[in-house]
Amino acid sequence: MTALRSPILVTDPHALARERELLSGPVAVVMTMGALHDGHLALLRQARTRGASVIATLFVNPLQFGPNEDFDSYPRTREDDLAAFAREQVDLVFAPSAAELYPAGPPGVRVDPGPLGTMLEGASRPGFFHGVLTVVLKMLHLTRPDAAFFGEKDYQQLTLVRAMVADFDLDVEIVGVPTVREYDGLALSSRNRHLDPDQRRSAGSLSRALAAGAAAGHLGAAAVQEAAAAVLTAEPCIAVDYLALTDPQLGPPPAYGEARLLVAARIGSTRLIDNAVIAIAGTATGGD
Ligand code: PAF
């Protein structure tokens, strides 16, 4: 049995810069807020296939939580996370405190996500994407990766990170990794651990709604929305925040071709999101 080599753990940006210098080959980064699950492991494994060296970040970013959100109760499982990074043979872990990452306090200058950042998650969570993009930009500067890996579960985040990289001419490849799901289709999320058994059963209806929407794709866009909404309405413990059909760039839904169906809902005090690709039937000349 080969002994596991613990990753080098650094918490301050200067130490990170020193250790980053010593990494060889292409560098891949996976940014996390910890409470790791198999979805994160999928990101780390994909990163390993792309990079000779893998950096993981571990930081619960206060900038992306609103005043009434779950920053304090967000699951923190640092020792388990470090053990998981070791099992996945991560080379370098950057796990700063808020004071180390933001030494002058919460930054006054933040990345503006533009109109795409004020819809869907951005409408429900004002300031969320300013916080996400600001920390992602900082982490990209500090870790200087060739490629960075993000889960498709956070589809709007992935879309905005891609837009930021394009708009700011950042020299990094952004790789989207498919969502990892439980036996009933529930997308893995660090917040799933807050669900009690009844809520956990209800939570499966998010992915069932997406599947119902996908199955109605041959009937057109309106039918997709109706089929998905019907599944959610039948589940009394779910408070739907949004159910939106868009094109792949989160613009208005196409008359035919590839679309995205995105859902956010609250189950008790836990807010979950999910999304799926939808193929809408039809032709360039109209009709379906
Ligand atoms: O997806 C997440 O876990 C976070 O939004 C990220 C990208 C690590 C930034 O804090």
Side-chain angles (χ1 to χ4, degrees), residues 10-77:
V10 292
T11 67
D12 87 88
H14 301 291
L16 173 64
R18 280 194 302 276
E19 294 299 336
R20 170 65 183 84
E21 270 314 298
L22 303 176
L23 293 180
S24 55
V27 170
V29 71
V30 174
M31 299 178 196
T32 83
M33 298 206 299
L36 301 185
H37 51 64
D38 285 355
H40 295 108
L41 304 190
L43 296 178
L44 291 167
R45 287 168 195 169
Q46 281 284 317
R48 172 60 64 203
T49 66
R50 176 66 176 72
S53 303
V54 175
I55 304 179
T57 69
L58 171 56
F59 181 64
V60 184
N61 175 33
L63 296 191
Q64 67 190 73
F65 289 81
N68 299 317
E69 293 186 354
D70 59 348
F71 176 71
D72 290 334
S73 61
Y74 194 84
R76 287 166 173 83
T77 57

Side-chain angles (χ1 to χ4, degrees), residues 154-170:
D154 299 293
Y155 188 73
Q156 192 176 4
Q157 168 174 283
L158 173 61
T159 307
L160 277 163
V161 168
R162 285 201 162 116
M164 175 177 75
V165 163
D167 288 349
F168 292 174
D169 302 308
L170 303 180

Side-chain angles (χ1 to χ4, degrees), residues 201-221:
R201 265 189 296 279
S202 302
S205 61
L206 262 66
S207 61
R208 281 200 299 282
L210 297 176
H218 66 290
L219 299 171

Side-chain angles (χ1 to χ4, degrees), residues 214-228:
H218 66 290
L219 299 171
V224 169
Q225 288 265 161
E226 274 168 37

